[in-house]
Amino acid sequence: MKVVDDHVEVTETEASSGVKGHNVRYVLAFSLIAVIIVLSAIWIVPALLQP
């Protein structure tokens, strides 16, 4: 990090030093599967219970 005049300049590495989500795809896939299962259950269970 370097102060130049009245602003701070950072390198690209310093600017993106936070942890990037490597597990985002797994969270997305699990959430998608969970939503499909829940919505299917909401639709199928009442249809099975009708006389």
Side-chain angles (χ1 to χ4, degrees):
M1 185 167 58
K2 179 170 65 168
V3 177
V4 178
D5 294 330
D6 60 346
H7 65 277
V8 177
E9 292 184 0
V10 293
T11 65
E12 186 176 330
T13 304
E14 291 173 331
S16 66
S17 64
V19 176
K20 294 184 174 94
H22 297 291
N23 293 325
V24 173
R25 69 182 70 134
Y26 301 118
V27 172
L28 179 62
F30 177 75
S31 300
L32 181 61
I33 291 168
V35 166
I36 290 171
I37 291 170
V38 169
L39 291 178
S40 295
I42 290 171
W43 177 55
I44 293 171
V45 170
L48 292 175
L49 296 177
Q50 286 183 353

